[in-house]
Amino acid sequence: MKHRNKFIYILMIIIVFAFVVGLGMHNSNQLVKAKVKKTRISNMKHIEEKKVVKQNDNKYKDKTWYAIGDSITSLNKYPYYLKDMMLLKKYVNDSIIGRKMSTMADRVSTTNLANIDFITVFGGTNDYAWNTPLGNINDDKTVNSFYGNLQKVINKIQSTNPNAELVFITPTKRGEFAKQPVYPNANSGGYHLEDYVQAIKDVSNKNNIKVIDLFNLSGIDETNLDTYTSDNLHPNEAGCKKIDQVIKTELEK
């Protein structure tokens, strides 16, 4: 009888101990689950916050764009893709085949620039092709040189819509096209394509205007013109998407 009571006592201790251990393990599991759930909620909140920040970082979303240029812009390829990439509301294509810098702002008016948020001027390759005198950084808008024409374009645009952001885009490298000078050779005036690129950068910097240097940043050069252009000058679909990525990256800086 005595041994039996002792056995029952030990069994009860074992049962109580098992119950306490089980309860502790249950509570511990619940605590772990609660922590995991809290961590998941925190991570999801962080992800959502990052999404919101990323969307808010796109200052060009729903903006309107006025694209000035030559035949590269008139083909309407790179503007079409860039509009979607930048989430723009709309763009206006102001371009003319064969256009030189001297006429880039000819169609700029208060009507055309009404409700425009930013303006790009993408040109210079025709000035290289048709031997526009380069001039120098001291040329003002009255001087018929590439430097002077750049200043004329800037003055016309900024006086018409001083609130719009103005951005210049340099030409890309190019190859043999329509009996025009072939990069890296000089034109008949003795000027190289990079001289016109440098002029765009000089005058833009003088006026505190952003420059997107496709000449050096696009990755399009004399070694891959067959891949990224349709005719050694005009970007094909792959070329347009390539330069659009550069334009987007530079605009968002």
Side-chain angles (χ1 to χ4, degrees):
M1 186 69 179
K2 185 177 180 181
H3 289 294
R4 182 181 175 187
N5 290 340
K6 185 177 181 180
F7 173 77
I8 293 173
Y9 176 74
I10 294 172
L11 181 61
M12 287 179 65
I13 291 175
I14 293 173
I15 292 172
V16 170
F17 178 77
F19 175 78
V20 170
V21 171
L23 182 62
M25 291 179 63
H26 174 75
N27 290 339
S28 177
N29 287 337
Q30 291 297 109
L31 183 61
V32 170
K33 288 180 180 179
K35 287 183 177 179
V36 169
K37 184 177 180 180
K38 185 177 180 180
T39 301
R40 286 176 179 172
I41 292 173
S42 177
N43 289 341
M44 290 299 295
K45 184 178 179 181
H46 181 63
I47 292 171
E48 292 302 319
E49 286 175 350
K50 285 181 68 176
K51 287 180 180 178
V52 171
V53 170
K54 189 173 182 180
Q55 289 173 355
N56 291 339
D57 281 348
N58 183 6
K59 65 177 180 178
Y60 293 95
K61 185 176 183 293
D62 294 327
K63 300 296 186 181
T64 55
W65 168 34
Y66 194 86
I68 299 175
D70 49 35
S71 57
I72 293 174
T73 302
S74 73
L75 291 173
N76 209 37
K77 290 182 180 178
Y78 86 84
Y80 176 81
Y81 296 126
L82 190 62
K83 174 183 178 293
D84 290 340
M85 289 173 65
M86 300 291 294
L87 303 178
L88 300 170
K89 180 190 294 185
K90 70 171 185 176
Y91 70 91
V92 177
N93 191 321
D94 176 0
S95 55
I96 300 174
I97 295 172
R99 198 181 210 177
K100 296 194 292 183
M101 190 59 64
S102 60
T103 63
M104 285 285 177
D106 281 4
R107 294 198 285 204
V108 166
S109 67
T110 53
T111 300
N112 288 343
L113 295 191
N115 302 315
I116 294 296
D117 296 302
F118 76 104
I119 302 157
T120 57
V121 179
F122 187 176
T125 197
N126 289 310
D127 292 273
Y128 165 70
W130 302 112
N131 314 305
T132 298
L134 192 65
N136 62 72
I137 190 63
N138 296 315
D139 292 347
D140 63 20
K141 65 178 182 178
T142 66
V143 180
N144 187 22
S145 67
F146 190 67
Y147 273 95
N149 292 332
L150 284 163
Q151 192 61 58
K152 181 177 75 171
V153 169
I154 291 170
N155 288 2
K156 176 76 176 292
I157 292 172
Q158 290 188 331
S159 63
T160 304
N161 186 342
N163 296 318
E165 179 185 10
L166 177 57
V167 179
F168 274 81
I169 303 174
T170 72
T172 60
K173 296 179 177 70
R174 49 182 286 169
E176 185 175 355
F177 178 79
K179 298 182 180 180
Q180 294 177 6
V182 180
Y183 172 81
N185 299 327
N187 59 22
S188 62
Y191 305 114
H192 294 83
L193 181 56
E194 51 263 51
D195 294 329
Y196 295 94
V197 170
Q198 188 59 49
I200 294 171
K201 294 162 76 172
D202 289 344
V203 178
S204 295
N205 291 336
K206 180 181 178 181
N207 290 271
N208 295 313
I209 293 169
K210 180 187 283 288
V211 181
I212 298 176
D213 187 3
L214 290 185
F215 184 82
N216 290 298
L217 298 178
S218 69
I220 298 175
D221 57 39
E222 60 273 31
T223 68
N224 57 26
L225 293 171
D226 288 342
T227 301
Y228 294 116
T229 72
S230 58
D231 53 13
N232 291 326
L233 174 60
H234 300 93
N236 55 22
E237 184 174 348
C240 285
K241 290 180 178 180
K242 190 173 183 66
I243 67 174
D244 278 345
Q245 189 56 59
V246 176
I247 293 172
K248 180 177 183 294
T249 299
E250 292 299 301
L251 282 175
E252 292 176 341
K253 283 185 176 180

